[in-house]
Amino acid sequence: MITVHFVHGARSYLPELAAYQAHIEHLGHAVQMHTQADTVPDDARAVWWICGRVPSDQARRLKGAVQVHEYASASVAPLAWLKDRVKQWQHPVPDFRVFQSDWVRQRMGFDHAGPDAVPYALRDMGVPDVFLTAQALQPPEFDLVYLGEMRRLLYFLPLLHTLGQAGLSLLLVGDVPAALQAHLATLGHIQSTGRVPQDQVPAQLLRARAGLNLMPDVLPLSEQTSTKMLEYLALGLPVVSNPYAWARRTAQAHAGRVQLLDVQATAAQWQAAVQGLPTRQTDRQHLQFLSWSHQLQALPVWGTLFGDGS
């Protein structure tokens, strides 16, 4: 049995860590999580860095381990390009790299051509398997539901007011920062749950008729996966999203399930868009490819970590 030591930032929300742990334990191995690299034991056999920054001195200390570098996203502004180049230039060379998408790989500037290239794999975001079987037990209480990072809603305050003008109710699932709470106090059509355990998220989302996806149309956010949209779809909810590159591709891949609507749309347009949405899907077996179990099963990194007997 091999223990895989994951090193990640304590402040990051990383749902993939629970999925990795479940998959690795299913393979008969063990997992330990670390928020500081210096807590990884010297005799570690496998270290998985969620990048972030990989300290060269720690990587050298752990040179006896198989080391994986994972890039779940590219850097954000300010100086995003420079941050990515610094990671490319300064990070020690691992045994394997994992990228959320090929866009992230190219954005990070890693060249994987040539006989000595580091092997890599692409691993998109996924959803827990339970999202594909959860069912609503009652009619929807809200028109829309929004899950996840609430600070981004500060970019969309005019839109939140428009939803009220359209007579649409909105449920927020997750922690609401103080800056946003001050604005919500005047908006009677919006309610929030606060933080809820992961196993209660499906039931909360199914309280609504449709999922709301809002993302600033700026790089790298506009090219990276919106986990909340995958979770909405996996639960059978139709989705309303502002248009940006990744959302457009997802709308094409899930024809009829994603309505793209500009943030400047009028109250009448929002009302019509929500009224025209399809009903919730109860049978979602065709969406198994969205699950974490599907995403992780095919990763070639397991052979690098555990050998052919993984």
Side-chain angles (χ1 to χ4, degrees):
M1 182 184 74
I2 293 174
T3 297
V4 181
H5 297 268
F6 283 86
V7 184
H8 64 94
R11 297 182 181 178
S12 300
Y13 172 62
L14 298 168
E16 55 265 44
L17 291 179
Y20 280 139
Q21 180 162 359
H23 185 80
I24 290 170
E25 290 177 349
H26 178 74
L27 293 176
H29 301 283
V31 167
Q32 286 190 15
M33 301 293 177
H34 305 262
T35 57
Q36 299 292 331
D38 57 11
T39 63
V40 178
D42 293 341
D43 61 353
R45 296 172 60 187
V47 181
W48 193 307
W49 302 87
I50 306 295
C51 311
R53 189 178 68 86
V54 179
S56 296
D57 59 336
Q58 294 294 329
R60 285 193 299 270
R61 179 176 68 84
L62 301 166
K63 62 182 179 181
V66 175
Q67 300 195 38
V68 177
H69 290 184
E70 175 168 326
Y71 296 90
S73 68
S75 299
V76 298
L79 303 177
W81 182 90
L82 180 59
K83 293 175 186 175
D84 288 337
R85 294 291 79 73
V86 168
K87 292 176 184 178
Q88 178 196 13
W89 298 329
Q90 293 189 351
H91 278 183
V93 178
D95 299 283
F96 201 98
R97 292 190 180 104
V98 177
F99 301 93
Q100 187 198 88
S101 67
D102 202 51
W103 183 88
V104 172
R105 182 187 70 83
Q106 294 182 45
R107 175 81 167 187
M108 298 301 300
F110 288 107
D111 182 4
H112 290 88
D116 299 324
V118 174
Y120 74 94
L122 308 179
R123 191 275 302 150
D124 206 346
M125 298 299 291
V127 301
D129 289 52
V130 68
F131 278 64
L132 294 161
T133 56
Q135 300 293 341
L137 301 179
Q138 59 189 22
E141 308 166 53
F142 297 87
D143 295 299
L144 297 165
V145 62
Y146 178 92
L147 170 69
E149 173 55 68
M150 298 292 172
R151 285 174 297 182
R152 289 187 187 138
L153 290 180
L154 292 169
Y155 290 92
F156 299 100
L157 289 175
L159 186 151
L160 298 183
H161 284 272
T162 299
L163 295 181
Q165 294 167 4
L168 299 175
S169 57
L170 172 64
L171 177 66
L172 304 181
V173 179
D175 278 337
V176 178
L180 182 59
Q181 288 177 2
H183 293 280
L184 297 184
T186 64
L187 300 176
H189 62 291
I190 300 177
Q191 295 184 34
S192 62
T193 64
R195 182 183 294 273
V196 299
Q198 178 70 16
D199 61 356
Q200 295 180 22
V201 169
Q204 294 295 333
L205 297 184
L206 288 170
R207 294 173 65 189
R209 182 180 177 188
L212 178 63
N213 180 64
L214 297 173
M215 191 69 67
D217 191 6
V218 295
L219 291 173
L221 300 177
S222 59
E223 283 288 351
Q224 294 180 176
T225 300
S226 169
T227 305
K228 66 171 65 66
M229 192 189 290
L230 300 186
E231 292 175 332
Y232 299 152
L233 292 169
L235 284 166
L237 295 176
V239 181
V240 183
S241 175
N242 65 306
Y244 58 94
W246 183 88
R248 291 189 184 95
R249 294 194 296 269
T250 303
Q252 291 177 349
H254 297 268
R257 302 301 300 176
V258 179
Q259 172 72 50
L260 299 178
L261 193 61
D262 192 270
V263 295
Q264 304 298 327
T266 65
Q269 289 171 318
W270 273 94
Q271 187 179 62
V274 173
Q275 289 178 347
L277 290 172
T279 59
R280 291 186 295 208
Q281 291 179 326
T282 55
D283 182 2
R284 285 102 64 192
Q285 292 305 304
H286 63 291
L287 297 177
Q288 284 290 338
F289 67 94
L290 295 178
S291 69
W292 277 120
S293 57
H294 179 90
Q295 290 285 348
L296 300 187
Q297 187 173 9
L299 273 184
V301 68
W302 310 122
T304 300
L305 285 174
F306 307 127
D308 293 337
S310 62

Short mmCIF file of all heavy atoms in Angstrom, two decimals, residues 227-261:
data_model
loop_
_atom_site.label_atom_id
_atom_site.label_comp_id
_atom_site.label_asym_id
_atom_site.label_seq_id
_atom_site.Cartn_x
_atom_site.Cartn_y
_atom_site.Cartn_z
N THR A 227 -17.95 24.53 -12.17
CA THR A 227 -18.42 23.32 -11.50
C THR A 227 -19.89 23.41 -11.17
O THR A 227 -20.63 22.42 -11.26
CB THR A 227 -17.60 23.05 -10.23
OG1 THR A 227 -16.21 23.02 -10.57
CG2 THR A 227 -17.99 21.73 -9.59
N LYS A 228 -20.36 24.60 -10.79
CA LYS A 228 -21.76 24.74 -10.42
C LYS A 228 -22.67 24.37 -11.59
O LYS A 228 -23.72 23.74 -11.40
CB LYS A 228 -22.06 26.15 -9.91
CG LYS A 228 -21.93 27.27 -10.94
CD LYS A 228 -22.45 28.60 -10.41
CE LYS A 228 -21.64 29.13 -9.26
NZ LYS A 228 -20.26 29.49 -9.64
N MET A 229 -22.28 24.73 -12.83
CA MET A 229 -23.13 24.39 -13.96
C MET A 229 -23.19 22.88 -14.17
O MET A 229 -24.25 22.32 -14.47
CB MET A 229 -22.68 25.08 -15.25
CG MET A 229 -23.74 24.96 -16.35
SD MET A 229 -23.27 25.51 -18.00
CE MET A 229 -23.15 27.26 -17.77
N LEU A 230 -22.07 22.20 -13.99
CA LEU A 230 -22.07 20.73 -14.09
C LEU A 230 -22.99 20.13 -13.02
O LEU A 230 -23.71 19.16 -13.28
CB LEU A 230 -20.65 20.18 -13.93
CG LEU A 230 -19.59 20.64 -14.93
CD1 LEU A 230 -18.30 19.87 -14.69
CD2 LEU A 230 -20.07 20.47 -16.35
N GLU A 231 -22.96 20.71 -11.82
CA GLU A 231 -23.80 20.19 -10.74
C GLU A 231 -25.27 20.44 -11.03
O GLU A 231 -26.12 19.56 -10.78
CB GLU A 231 -23.36 20.80 -9.41
CG GLU A 231 -21.98 20.32 -8.99
CD GLU A 231 -21.44 20.98 -7.74
OE1 GLU A 231 -21.83 22.13 -7.47
OE2 GLU A 231 -20.63 20.35 -7.05
N TYR A 232 -25.62 21.61 -11.55
CA TYR A 232 -27.00 21.86 -11.94
C TYR A 232 -27.46 20.82 -12.95
O TYR A 232 -28.54 20.22 -12.82
CB TYR A 232 -27.15 23.24 -12.58
CG TYR A 232 -26.79 24.44 -11.74
CD1 TYR A 232 -26.35 25.62 -12.35
CD2 TYR A 232 -26.90 24.45 -10.35
CE1 TYR A 232 -26.02 26.74 -11.62
CE2 TYR A 232 -26.57 25.57 -9.60
CZ TYR A 232 -26.13 26.71 -10.25
OH TYR A 232 -25.80 27.83 -9.52
N LEU A 233 -26.67 20.62 -14.00
CA LEU A 233 -27.05 19.70 -15.07
C LEU A 233 -27.17 18.27 -14.55
O LEU A 233 -28.10 17.54 -14.92
CB LEU A 233 -26.03 19.78 -16.21
CG LEU A 233 -26.01 21.09 -16.99
CD1 LEU A 233 -24.78 21.15 -17.90
CD2 LEU A 233 -27.28 21.25 -17.83
N ALA A 234 -26.24 17.87 -13.69
CA ALA A 234 -26.26 16.51 -13.15
C ALA A 234 -27.51 16.27 -12.31
O ALA A 234 -27.99 15.14 -12.20
CB ALA A 234 -25.01 16.24 -12.33
N LEU A 235 -28.06 17.31 -11.70
CA LEU A 235 -29.29 17.20 -10.91
C LEU A 235 -30.53 17.31 -11.77
O LEU A 235 -31.65 17.22 -11.25
CB LEU A 235 -29.32 18.28 -9.84
CG LEU A 235 -28.41 18.04 -8.63
CD1 LEU A 235 -28.27 19.31 -7.81
CD2 LEU A 235 -28.95 16.90 -7.77
N GLY A 236 -30.35 17.51 -13.07
CA GLY A 236 -31.49 17.61 -13.97
C GLY A 236 -32.06 18.99 -14.11
O GLY A 236 -33.11 19.17 -14.75
N LEU A 237 -31.41 20.00 -13.51
CA LEU A 237 -31.91 21.37 -13.61
C LEU A 237 -31.52 21.99 -14.95
O LEU A 237 -30.37 21.86 -15.38
CB LEU A 237 -31.33 22.23 -12.49
CG LEU A 237 -31.72 21.90 -11.05
CD1 LEU A 237 -30.97 22.81 -10.09
CD2 LEU A 237 -33.22 22.02 -10.84
N PRO A 238 -32.43 22.70 -15.59
CA PRO A 238 -32.00 23.56 -16.69
C PRO A 238 -31.20 24.72 -16.12
O PRO A 238 -31.26 25.00 -14.91
CB PRO A 238 -33.31 24.03 -17.32
CG PRO A 238 -34.30 23.97 -16.19
CD PRO A 238 -33.88 22.81 -15.32
N VAL A 239 -30.46 25.41 -16.97
CA VAL A 239 -29.53 26.44 -16.50
C VAL A 239 -29.72 27.72 -17.31
O VAL A 239 -29.90 27.67 -18.53
CB VAL A 239 -28.07 25.97 -16.64
CG1 VAL A 239 -27.10 27.05 -16.13
CG2 VAL A 239 -27.84 24.66 -15.89
N VAL A 240 -29.66 28.86 -16.62
CA VAL A 240 -29.53 30.16 -17.27
C VAL A 240 -28.15 30.69 -16.95
O VAL A 240 -27.74 30.72 -15.78
CB VAL A 240 -30.60 31.16 -16.80
CG1 VAL A 240 -30.46 32.47 -17.57
CG2 VAL A 240 -32.00 30.59 -16.97
N SER A 241 -27.40 31.11 -17.97
CA SER A 241 -26.04 31.59 -17.78
C SER A 241 -25.79 32.81 -18.63
O SER A 241 -26.37 32.96 -19.71
CB SER A 241 -25.04 30.49 -18.17
OG SER A 241 -23.70 30.96 -18.10
N ASN A 242 -24.92 33.69 -18.14
CA ASN A 242 -24.44 34.75 -19.03
C ASN A 242 -23.51 34.11 -20.07
O ASN A 242 -22.86 33.09 -19.81
CB ASN A 242 -23.74 35.85 -18.25
CG ASN A 242 -22.46 35.39 -17.56
OD1 ASN A 242 -22.47 34.42 -16.82
ND2 ASN A 242 -21.36 36.10 -17.79
N PRO A 243 -23.44 34.67 -21.27
CA PRO A 243 -22.64 34.06 -22.33
C PRO A 243 -21.15 34.40 -22.20
O PRO A 243 -20.78 35.55 -22.01
CB PRO A 243 -23.23 34.66 -23.61
CG PRO A 243 -23.80 35.98 -23.19
CD PRO A 243 -24.25 35.80 -21.76
N TYR A 244 -20.32 33.37 -22.25
CA TYR A 244 -18.87 33.51 -22.34
C TYR A 244 -18.37 32.21 -22.95
O TYR A 244 -19.16 31.27 -23.17
CB TYR A 244 -18.24 33.81 -20.97
CG TYR A 244 -18.51 32.79 -19.89
CD1 TYR A 244 -17.61 31.75 -19.64
CD2 TYR A 244 -19.65 32.87 -19.09
CE1 TYR A 244 -17.86 30.82 -18.65
CE2 TYR A 244 -19.90 31.94 -18.09
CZ TYR A 244 -19.00 30.92 -17.88
OH TYR A 244 -19.24 29.99 -16.89
N ALA A 245 -17.08 32.12 -23.24
CA ALA A 245 -16.58 31.04 -24.08
C ALA A 245 -16.95 29.65 -23.57
O ALA A 245 -17.52 28.84 -24.31
CB ALA A 245 -15.06 31.17 -24.23
N TRP A 246 -16.63 29.34 -22.31
CA TRP A 246 -16.91 27.99 -21.80
C TRP A 246 -18.40 27.72 -21.75
O TRP A 246 -18.86 26.62 -22.08
CB TRP A 246 -16.29 27.81 -20.41
CG TRP A 246 -16.49 26.42 -19.87
CD1 TRP A 246 -15.69 25.34 -20.06
CD2 TRP A 246 -17.60 25.98 -19.08
NE1 TRP A 246 -16.23 24.24 -19.43
CE2 TRP A 246 -17.39 24.60 -18.82
CE3 TRP A 246 -18.74 26.59 -18.55
CZ2 TRP A 246 -18.28 23.84 -18.06
CZ3 TRP A 246 -19.63 25.84 -17.80
CH2 TRP A 246 -19.39 24.48 -17.56
N ALA A 247 -19.19 28.71 -21.36
CA ALA A 247 -20.65 28.53 -21.28
C ALA A 247 -21.24 28.26 -22.66
O ALA A 247 -22.16 27.45 -22.79
CB ALA A 247 -21.29 29.76 -20.65
N ARG A 248 -20.72 28.93 -23.69
CA ARG A 248 -21.22 28.69 -25.04
C ARG A 248 -20.95 27.25 -25.47
O ARG A 248 -21.82 26.59 -26.06
CB ARG A 248 -20.58 29.67 -26.03
CG ARG A 248 -21.03 31.12 -25.85
CD ARG A 248 -20.53 31.99 -26.99
NE ARG A 248 -20.87 33.40 -26.79
CZ ARG A 248 -20.07 34.30 -26.22
NH1 ARG A 248 -18.84 33.94 -25.83
NH2 ARG A 248 -20.46 35.54 -26.07
N ARG A 249 -19.75 26.76 -25.18
CA ARG A 249 -19.43 25.37 -25.56
C ARG A 249 -20.32 24.38 -24.79
O ARG A 249 -20.78 23.38 -25.35
CB ARG A 249 -17.96 25.08 -25.29
CG ARG A 249 -17.01 25.86 -26.17
CD ARG A 249 -15.59 25.30 -26.11
NE ARG A 249 -15.00 25.39 -24.78
CZ ARG A 249 -14.28 26.43 -24.36
NH1 ARG A 249 -14.08 27.48 -25.14
NH2 ARG A 249 -13.75 26.43 -23.14
N THR A 250 -20.57 24.68 -23.53
CA THR A 250 -21.39 23.79 -22.71
C THR A 250 -22.84 23.82 -23.18
O THR A 250 -23.52 22.79 -23.18
CB THR A 250 -21.28 24.18 -21.23
OG1 THR A 250 -19.90 24.14 -20.85
CG2 THR A 250 -22.07 23.24 -20.34
N ALA A 251 -23.33 24.97 -23.57
CA ALA A 251 -24.70 25.07 -24.09
C ALA A 251 -24.85 24.22 -25.36
O ALA A 251 -25.89 23.57 -25.57
CB ALA A 251 -25.05 26.53 -24.37
N GLN A 252 -23.82 24.19 -26.20
CA GLN A 252 -23.88 23.36 -27.41
C GLN A 252 -23.84 21.88 -27.06
O GLN A 252 -24.53 21.06 -27.68
CB GLN A 252 -22.71 23.72 -28.33
CG GLN A 252 -22.82 25.10 -28.95
CD GLN A 252 -21.60 25.44 -29.80
OE1 GLN A 252 -20.59 24.75 -29.77
NE2 GLN A 252 -21.71 26.52 -30.56
N ALA A 253 -23.04 21.53 -26.04
CA ALA A 253 -22.91 20.12 -25.65
C ALA A 253 -24.17 19.60 -24.95
O ALA A 253 -24.42 18.39 -24.97
CB ALA A 253 -21.70 19.94 -24.74
N HIS A 254 -24.94 20.49 -24.33
CA HIS A 254 -26.16 20.10 -23.62
C HIS A 254 -27.33 20.85 -24.26
O HIS A 254 -27.97 21.70 -23.64
CB HIS A 254 -26.05 20.42 -22.13
CG HIS A 254 -24.96 19.67 -21.43
ND1 HIS A 254 -25.16 18.47 -20.81
CD2 HIS A 254 -23.64 19.95 -21.29
CE1 HIS A 254 -24.02 18.03 -20.29
NE2 HIS A 254 -23.09 18.91 -20.57
N ALA A 255 -27.60 20.51 -25.50
CA ALA A 255 -28.59 21.24 -26.30
C ALA A 255 -29.94 21.29 -25.60
O ALA A 255 -30.48 20.28 -25.15
CB ALA A 255 -28.73 20.57 -27.67
N GLY A 256 -30.46 22.52 -25.50
CA GLY A 256 -31.77 22.72 -24.92
C GLY A 256 -31.80 22.83 -23.41
O GLY A 256 -32.84 23.20 -22.84
N ARG A 257 -30.69 22.54 -22.74
CA ARG A 257 -30.67 22.55 -21.28
C ARG A 257 -30.05 23.84 -20.72
O ARG A 257 -30.17 24.10 -19.52
CB ARG A 257 -29.90 21.34 -20.73
CG ARG A 257 -30.43 20.00 -21.17
CD ARG A 257 -31.86 19.78 -20.75
NE ARG A 257 -32.06 19.85 -19.30
CZ ARG A 257 -33.25 19.76 -18.71
NH1 ARG A 257 -34.35 19.67 -19.44
NH2 ARG A 257 -33.35 19.82 -17.38
N VAL A 258 -29.35 24.60 -21.55
CA VAL A 258 -28.67 25.81 -21.09
C VAL A 258 -29.16 27.00 -21.91
O VAL A 258 -29.02 27.01 -23.14
CB VAL A 258 -27.14 25.69 -21.21
CG1 VAL A 258 -26.47 26.98 -20.74
CG2 VAL A 258 -26.63 24.50 -20.42
N GLN A 259 -29.73 27.98 -21.24
CA GLN A 259 -30.18 29.21 -21.87
C GLN A 259 -29.16 30.31 -21.61
O GLN A 259 -28.86 30.62 -20.45
CB GLN A 259 -31.54 29.63 -21.31
CG GLN A 259 -32.03 30.99 -21.75
CD GLN A 259 -32.46 31.01 -23.20
OE1 GLN A 259 -33.22 30.17 -23.63
NE2 GLN A 259 -31.97 31.97 -23.96
N LEU A 260 -28.60 30.89 -22.67
CA LEU A 260 -27.64 31.97 -22.52
C LEU A 260 -28.37 33.30 -22.62
O LEU A 260 -29.14 33.53 -23.55
CB LEU A 260 -26.56 31.89 -23.61
CG LEU A 260 -25.72 30.60 -23.62
CD1 LEU A 260 -24.73 30.63 -24.77
CD2 LEU A 260 -25.00 30.42 -22.29
N LEU A 261 -28.12 34.17 -21.63
CA LEU A 261 -28.81 35.45 -21.59
C LEU A 261 -27.85 36.51 -21.10
O LEU A 261 -27.20 36.36 -20.06
CB LEU A 261 -30.02 35.35 -20.64
CG LEU A 261 -31.03 36.49 -20.71
CD1 LEU A 261 -31.65 36.59 -22.09
CD2 LEU A 261 -32.12 36.28 -19.66
#
